[in-house]
Structures are given as C-alpha cells and as structure tokens.
C-alpha cells in the first residue's frame, strides 16, 4: 500500500472521531506549550542576569576585602576593610595588563538641593570608574585625577537622582549638599536601568573616593576594587598577579587563608546565572511530564481504536494488506496526533510567552532550540507510544478479525 494512501486512510480515521482526536491531542498541546513557555521564561531570566553582569563593564576583575564574623555569623567577603590605598596604588603601578582601576567607597547619605531632600547611594570612585563600567557621561565631564588628589567637592549624578532633585533643569553646575557638604555637579551619567537585584542603578551620586573618605565617611580602607584588564586574554594573568601581589603586601604565609577575594567577570556571571540555568531545566522537566502524559493518552486511544476497528483490519488483510501496511497505518495516525498537537502547542507556547512578557513585565526569550526540541520530542512521543498499538493491530489474525463483532 502506498504511503499516500495510508496517510489518506489515517486522516479519514482521525476525522471520523474529531472530538476524540482533539481531546487526545490536548495532552501534547499542553505539554509542548508548557515546555516552550517555561523554558522561555527561564532563558529570559538568564539573559537578564547576563545583561546586568555585562553592565559591570568589559574584562572586569573584582577584588573584595576580607570577611567579618560576629557571634558565629559571617557577613561575607567585602564586609571588612582589608584593602588599603597602598594596595590600590600598587595594583595600578606594578600589575601589567591593567587598563584601569578604581576603588569603591559605598555609603547612603542625605542629599539636598533647593527644597528637595532625598536619601540615596553616594559612591566614592576613581577617574577610571565610568570607563570600566562603560557608563558614559552624557552631559558635562568626568572629574579629573587632580580632583581625586585634592579631594575636590565635585560629583557625577545619576539620571534618576537628577530628575528627583532638579526635574528637567540641567544638573551640570548645580550644587547638591551631601550631609551638609556642598558638591558641584560636573557631569550627568547615562541611564543604566535596574540591576539584577531590582535596584535603580541611576539613583546614585558618584564622587572622588578621596572626597568620600575625607569629607563623608571618614574611612581609611576600601571594601572593593574594580580592575579592568587590557583584553579578555589577559584576565587570568592579571587575576593571578593581583592575588600574588596582595598576598605579599598582606604578609599572608603559605597555608593561611587570604583576607581578600579576587573574582573575574566570567566567574561572577557563572555564579549569578547558575540558579537561572537550574530553574530553566527544572521548569522544562516538569513541563515535559505533561508530554509523557499526552503520549500515554495517545497509546490508550490507539489501543481503543484497534479494538473498535478489528473487523476493518480483517477486511484489509483479506483483500491483500500486509501486516507492515496495517502497522504503518496506525503508526502514522499516532504520529499525526503528536505532530499536529505539537504544532498547535508551539503556537500556544510562543503566544503564552509573549503574553507573560506583556502582562507581567517579565523578560522572556523563546529560543529556536526549545521550539525544535519540543516538536521533535512530541514526534518521538507519537512513534514511541504509537508503536505498541500499531504492532498489536498488525499481528491480528485475519480470520479472527473478520469474525469479530
């Protein structure tokens, strides 16, 4: 029997019980749609985290100070100020392959301008910070090395902070009081949006780190340093050089734990995205269970169909149909159920992903791999769960089949 004739008979058999066919496909439709939707949500979360990591800059190495423990509770690296001005100067002076470096002195402070008064993040940084972070100054200029050396009262302002304090007025040249210390705005930073924790990166004021330490916080050490390698190939080399230099400067002997932590941007990205990857796989596996349930439904209906059409099978065999023809007919019916259900499921999955993105504001990313994978899986389900009923139909005795009522 020709393949097209078998296909025609299979389609006619499926149309004969249209409602049952639709209900049988429902498991595959839901399964494929759920897999695509869940994986797209997971991929979107991963892409968002990667974008936030990329906002740290290019070829960045993060040096964190030591760990503070109180009452048996660890506050984590960066909680102790073990990095000094001497460490920062030594890295800039002695480490090869460094394109830029900047400390971070973080604090929260009260800002006042005119009749506006807000509490926001004030961060002391070096001249290289905006270059390391790929954070351009869209209006005005960056502060200078002279400003850093003399602890000048100048600042760069984030777009959110500028809008809150000055509205639509150009902030460059305006005065903002930080803990009653007047700072002159010399530049407006480009908008960066939210970070991976959901905080507004533009709600910030950047000042020279010397100004932050002498005029605001009174601190004498750093909790973190940002170092930028000249290119991606030199990141590991620079990371090792920094570790060796700091061990030497901090007199850390062999076998003792470091009082600092050096992490590359790639390591930070892998740690940050690991949870998203696990969740994507978990969501995909859970959604795939419904595909298996749909496959079992197909096998169940096909077994019922074999029983209902036993006499028809006997007549086909009596007029010359071989066992392979009968098996192919029922196998094609099962595969058609899976493929059509898979195509409908793909449309529903893509539509659901876009709906979630529009209604809930989540970032979703439908990948071609998830579509192809879900479709192929549904086809395999059809072959796997359709084989047994098809084989059972092919093995029927023609005489017994003709006698069946």
């Amino acid at each position: 029997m020709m393949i097209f004739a078998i296909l025609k008979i299979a389609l006619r058999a499926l149309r004969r019980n249209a409602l049952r066919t639709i209900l049988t496909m429902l498991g595959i439709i839901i399964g494929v749609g759920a897999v695509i939707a869940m994986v797209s949500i997971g991929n979107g979360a991963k892409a968002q985290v990667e974008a936030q990591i990329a906002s740290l800059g290019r070829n960045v190495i993060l040096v964190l100070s030591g760990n503070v423990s109180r009452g048996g509770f660890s506050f984590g690296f960066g909680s102790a100020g073990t990095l000094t001005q001497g460490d920062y100067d030594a890295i800039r002076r002695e480490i090869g392959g460094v394109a830029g470096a900047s400390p971070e002195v973080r604090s929260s402070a009260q800002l006042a301008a005119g009749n506006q008064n807000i509490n926001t993040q004030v961060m002391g940084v070096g001249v290289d910070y905006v270059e390391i972070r790929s954070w351009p100054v869209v209006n005005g200029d960056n502060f200078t090395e002279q400003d850093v050396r003399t602890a000048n009262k100048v600042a760069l302002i984030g777009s959110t902070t500028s809008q809150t304090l000055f509205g639509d007025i150009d902030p460059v040249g305006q005065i903002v009081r930080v803990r009653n210390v007047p700072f002159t705005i010399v530049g407006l930073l480009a908008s960066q949006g939210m970070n991976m924790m959901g905080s507004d990166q533009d709600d910030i004021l950047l000042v020279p780190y010397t100004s932050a330490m002498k005029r605001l916080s009174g601190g004498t050490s750093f909790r973190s340093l940002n170092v930028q390698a000249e290119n991606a190939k030199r990141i590991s080399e620079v990371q090792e050089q920094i570790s060796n230099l700091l061990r030497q400067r901090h007199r850390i002997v062999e076998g003792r734990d470091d009082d600092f932590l050096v992490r590359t941007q790639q390591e930070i990205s892998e740690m940050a995205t690991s949870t998203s990857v696990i969740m994507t796989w978990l969501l995909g596996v859970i959604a795939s269970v419904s595909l298996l349930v749909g496959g079992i439904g197909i096998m169940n209906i096909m077994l019922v169909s074999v029983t209902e059409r036993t006499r028809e099978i006997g007549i086909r065999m009596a007029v010359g149909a071989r066992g392979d023809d009968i098996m192919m007919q029922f196998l094609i019916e099962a595969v058609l159920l899976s493929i059509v259900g898979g195509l409908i499921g793909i449309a529903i999955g893509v539509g659901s992903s876009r709906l979630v993105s529009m209604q809930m504001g989540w970032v979703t990313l439908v990948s071609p791999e998830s579509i192809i994978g879900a479709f192929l899986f549904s086809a395999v389900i059809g072959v796997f769960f359709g084989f047994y009923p098809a084989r059972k139909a092919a093995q029927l005795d023609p005489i017994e089949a003709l006698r069946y009522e």
Side-chain angles (χ1 to χ4, degrees):
M1 191 181 291
M2 298 296 292
I3 187 67
F4 292 108
I6 295 175
L7 184 61
K8 184 177 179 181
I9 294 170
L11 288 171
R12 187 165 60 237
L14 293 176
R15 284 200 305 267
R16 190 184 305 151
N17 295 288
L19 181 60
R20 187 169 71 180
T21 299
I22 293 171
L23 292 175
T24 304
M25 289 191 301
L26 204 55
I28 299 296
I29 292 171
I30 293 173
V32 171
V35 167
I36 292 175
M38 293 298 100
V39 171
S40 69
I41 291 172
N43 286 340
K46 181 174 177 289
Q48 193 171 23
V49 171
E50 289 175 341
Q52 294 297 337
I53 296 296
S55 71
L56 294 175
R58 292 178 295 105
N59 309 325
V60 176
I61 300 167
L62 185 63
V63 185
L64 297 172
S65 61
N67 180 18
V68 169
S69 296
R70 292 176 186 169
F73 180 78
S74 173
F75 287 85
F77 280 93
S79 56
T82 57
L83 300 173
T84 65
Q85 178 74 46
D87 294 332
Y88 170 58
D89 293 337
I91 288 173
R92 297 186 69 184
R93 184 177 61 251
E94 300 178 28
I95 302 297
V98 172
S102 171
E104 287 186 5
V105 181
R106 294 177 177 268
S107 64
S108 180
Q110 200 76 17
L111 273 60
N115 60 354
Q116 298 296 322
N117 193 306
I118 62 171
N119 190 285
T120 192
Q121 181 180 196
V122 177
M123 191 157 68
V125 296
V127 174
D128 294 337
Y129 184 78
V130 292
E131 184 66 28
I132 293 171
R133 286 285 308 274
S134 301
W135 200 348
V137 178
V138 294
N139 191 14
D141 296 298
N142 188 16
F143 48 75
T144 64
E145 286 286 359
Q146 176 68 19
D147 293 324
V148 174
R149 283 194 299 270
T150 57
N152 275 354
K153 294 177 286 186
V154 292
L156 302 175
I157 192 168
S159 58
T160 300
T161 306
S162 173
Q163 184 65 34
T164 304
L165 291 177
F166 304 109
D168 296 329
I169 299 174
D170 184 0
V172 177
Q174 301 291 330
I175 303 295
V176 58
R177 301 186 69 84
V178 185
R179 294 178 182 169
N180 289 323
V181 178
F183 280 78
T184 302
I185 305 297
V186 295
L188 172 66
L189 295 165
S191 178
Q192 291 277 75
M194 297 289 182
N195 64 15
M196 70 183 74
M197 304 302 294
S199 301
D200 187 356
Q201 297 181 90
D202 302 314
D203 191 9
I204 195 170
L205 192 76
L206 301 183
V207 301
Y209 70 89
T210 49
S211 304
M213 296 169 75
K214 293 178 181 178
R215 303 181 186 278
L216 301 177
S217 67
T220 58
S221 60
F222 308 125
R223 294 192 175 183
S224 64
L225 300 172
N226 294 278
V227 181
Q228 185 178 42
E230 288 179 347
N231 54 62
K233 295 180 180 178
R234 302 201 66 176
I235 290 177
S236 297
E237 174 194 344
V238 172
Q239 181 185 20
E240 185 176 357
Q241 287 186 63
I242 292 173
S243 296
N244 293 335
L245 175 64
L246 292 180
R247 287 193 193 99
Q248 180 184 355
R249 288 187 54 82
H250 294 190
R251 295 182 174 83
I252 298 173
V253 297
E254 191 73 26
R256 294 287 299 276
D257 292 335
D258 295 338
D259 61 353
F260 60 89
L261 183 68
V262 183
R263 285 284 180 264
T264 66
Q265 192 172 6
Q266 180 63 30
E267 291 171 335
I268 296 170
S269 177
E270 289 173 356
M271 288 187 292
T273 58
S274 61
T275 302
S276 298
V277 172
I278 292 171
M279 286 302 299
T280 300
W281 277 102
L282 182 61
L283 291 171
V285 169
I286 292 173
S288 297
V289 172
S290 58
L291 271 176
L292 293 176
V293 174
I296 294 170
I298 288 176
M299 183 169 65
N300 181 48
I301 293 301
M302 293 308 298
L303 285 171
V304 172
S305 181
V306 169
T307 302
E308 289 179 346
R309 296 159 63 186
T310 301
R311 188 172 180 81
E312 174 191 329
I313 294 169
I315 294 172
R316 291 185 189 282
M317 287 182 169
V319 297
R322 296 170 301 173
D324 289 346
D325 296 326
I326 300 298
M327 186 170 73
M328 184 63 69
Q329 176 189 338
F330 281 88
L331 194 57
I332 284 177
E333 288 183 23
V335 173
L336 277 175
L337 286 171
S338 294
I339 290 178
V340 174
L343 292 173
I344 297 172
I346 288 172
I348 291 176
V350 173
S352 298
S353 300
R354 292 181 178 176
L355 187 63
V356 167
S357 180
M358 289 187 297
Q359 295 297 321
M360 304 186 68
W362 294 359
V363 176
T364 58
L365 184 61
V366 180
S367 64
E369 292 82 5
S370 65
I371 293 176
I372 295 171
F375 180 73
L376 291 178
F377 192 29
S378 66
V380 169
I381 287 283
V383 173
F384 181 80
F385 286 101
F387 180 78
Y388 175 71
R391 186 168 178 270
K392 183 178 179 181
Q395 291 178 340
L396 286 176
D397 187 307
I399 297 175
E400 292 297 325
L402 286 170
R403 288 176 180 172
Y404 185 82
E405 292 294 340

